[in-house]
């Protein structure tokens, strides 16, 4: 955590986003930087700090914030993740990073994991300031993966629940909440044992983490297909870091998006499931990102 400092900045609507900036180590003058995007309903303390520290040690500035409505960042309703608002906030983070004296605004990349990995793809396709994209275990197709999580005969019930929530909120009721992980009877967002074990272990890293999101968060996630942007990322270079057994986001869905993406692109396929990227495969996944970013964020005369 050498040199890490607290930061905060305001989005266009005045909501203040809070996080950390890690200055690049071993460099002189403005350095390249990486904006990190968190996984679904996760906070900066939940493994993002490990990646930020690795990037800083490799000579990149690293900026990481809690998403709006979560953790240390402001925003209401709490525990609500609107993917398009999160992408807009990442644009604000790119702006903020580029204004820091330690950062070379011409050399900013985006690294994201799970939900943030999907956001990184969209950002790379739509923000010309982004010079390189790393998408780790991205939740690349919320439509398909959302449908896979529940039996087809329950789809009408889910649609009715979303409609009832919208009616209740329009009537002045507070946003309804549901667990992120839990036992099947609780109807969590992620029902598998691996996801429950991962999130509950990660909870120990961030006392401010809450095992709940709004019902509307789930509705939005089921309409969010970042994979449609994959072919639009080029000519910005894209690295996808995928587990060969990702049953949370779907390795097949991720590979489909990678196939649609155009050059320059690189694929790193590690052995393991979605959560292994952060844990048993951290050295492999972080090294791949450092190598890729080091090449594509280097000065022209350093290549």
């Amino acid at each position: 955590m050498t040199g890490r400092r607290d930061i905060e900045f305001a989005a266009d609507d005045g909501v203040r986003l809070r996080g950390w900036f890690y200055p690049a180590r071993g460099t002189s003058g403005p350095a390249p930087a990486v904006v990190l995007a968190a996984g679904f309903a996760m906070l900066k303390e939940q493994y993002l700090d490990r990646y930020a520290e690795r990037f800083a040690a490799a000579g990149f500035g690293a900026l990481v914030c809690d998403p709006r409505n979560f953790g240390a960042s402001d925003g209401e309703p709490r525990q609500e993740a609107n993917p398009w608002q999160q992408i807009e906030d990442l644009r604000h983070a790119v702006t903020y990073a580029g204004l820091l004296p330690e950062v070379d605004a011409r050399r900013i990349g985006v690294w994201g994991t799970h939900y943030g990995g999907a956001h990184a793809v969209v950002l790379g396709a739509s923000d010309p300031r982004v010079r390189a994209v790393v998408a780790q275990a991205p939740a690349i197709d919320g439509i398909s993966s959302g449908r896979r999580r529940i039996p087809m005969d329950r789809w009408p019930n889910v649609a009715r629940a979303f409609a009832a929530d919208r009616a209740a909120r329009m009537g002045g009721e507070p946003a309804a909440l549901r667990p992120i992980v839990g036992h099947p009877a609780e109807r969590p967002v992620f029902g598998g044992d691996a996801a429950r074990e991962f999130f509950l272990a990660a909870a120990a890293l961030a006392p401010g983490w809450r095992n709940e999101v709004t019902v509307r968060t789930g509705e939005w996630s089921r309409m969010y297909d970042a994979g449609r942007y994959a072919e639009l990322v080029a000519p910005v270079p894209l690295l996808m870091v995928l587990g060969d057994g990702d049953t949370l986001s779907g390795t097949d869905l991720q590979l489909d998006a990678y196939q649609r993406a155009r050059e320059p692109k690189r694929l790193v396929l590690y052995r393991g499931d979605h959560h292994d990227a952060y844990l048993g495969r951290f050295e492999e996944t972080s090294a791949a990102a450092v190598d890729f970013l080091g090449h594509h964020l280097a000065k022209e005369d350093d290549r």
Side-chain angles (χ1 to χ4, degrees), residues 118-161:
H119 300 347
V121 170
V122 177
L123 202 64
S126 59
D127 193 323
R129 300 172 299 171
V130 174
R131 301 300 300 276
V133 174
V134 181
Q136 176 178 285
I140 202 70
D141 182 350
I143 298 172
S144 297
S145 59
R147 289 184 170 185
R148 290 178 178 184
R149 291 192 190 105
I150 61 171
M152 290 180 65
D153 61 0
R154 283 186 49 206
W155 290 0
N157 294 338
V158 172
R160 285 192 288 271

Side-chain angles (χ1 to χ4, degrees), residues 116-277:
H119 300 347
V121 170
V122 177
L123 202 64
S126 59
D127 193 323
R129 300 172 299 171
V130 174
R131 301 300 300 276
V133 174
V134 181
Q136 176 178 285
I140 202 70
D141 182 350
I143 298 172
S144 297
S145 59
R147 289 184 170 185
R148 290 178 178 184
R149 291 192 190 105
I150 61 171
M152 290 180 65
D153 61 0
R154 283 186 49 206
W155 290 0
N157 294 338
V158 172
R160 285 192 288 271
F162 290 153
D165 175 69
R166 285 187 171 272
R169 286 176 64 163
M170 184 169 285
E173 295 184 24
L177 296 163
R178 60 183 297 203
I180 298 169
V181 292
H183 294 287
E186 300 174 287
R187 302 288 173 88
V189 176
F190 305 121
D193 292 340
R196 182 168 63 251
E197 291 173 5
F198 171 79
F199 274 98
L200 294 182
L205 304 174
W209 184 78
R210 292 163 52 185
N211 183 26
E212 56 189 5
V213 290
T214 64
V215 169
R216 189 169 298 178
T217 292
E219 181 183 9
W220 276 324
S221 73
R222 290 172 182 271
M223 298 186 292
Y224 180 44
D225 182 2
R228 294 177 180 270
Y229 288 80
E231 64 187 86
L232 304 176
V233 175
V236 175
L238 168 67
L239 168 66
M240 293 185 72
V241 181
L242 311 178
D244 64 1
D246 189 337
T247 57
L248 191 72
S249 296
T251 303
D252 60 324
L253 302 175
Q254 297 163 340
L255 289 173
D256 285 346
Y258 180 78
Q259 291 301 320
R260 293 194 301 273
R262 297 169 178 164
E263 298 288 349
K265 62 181 180 179
R266 186 192 302 176
L267 174 66
V268 170
L269 198 63
Y270 64 85
R271 296 293 301 274
D273 68 12
H274 181 91
H275 309 104
D276 284 325

Side-chain angles (χ1 to χ4, degrees), residues 23 28 34 37 40 43 47 58 63 67 71 75 79 82 104 107 122 135 155 163 194 196 228 244 252 266 277-278 302:
S28 60
V34 184
F40 183 85
L43 305 183
Y47 305 112
L63 187 151
Q79 303 301 116
N82 179 334
D104 182 347
R107 296 188 290 154
V122 177
W155 290 0
R196 182 168 63 251
R228 294 177 180 270
D244 64 1
D252 60 324
R266 186 192 302 176
Y278 308 89
D302 290 339

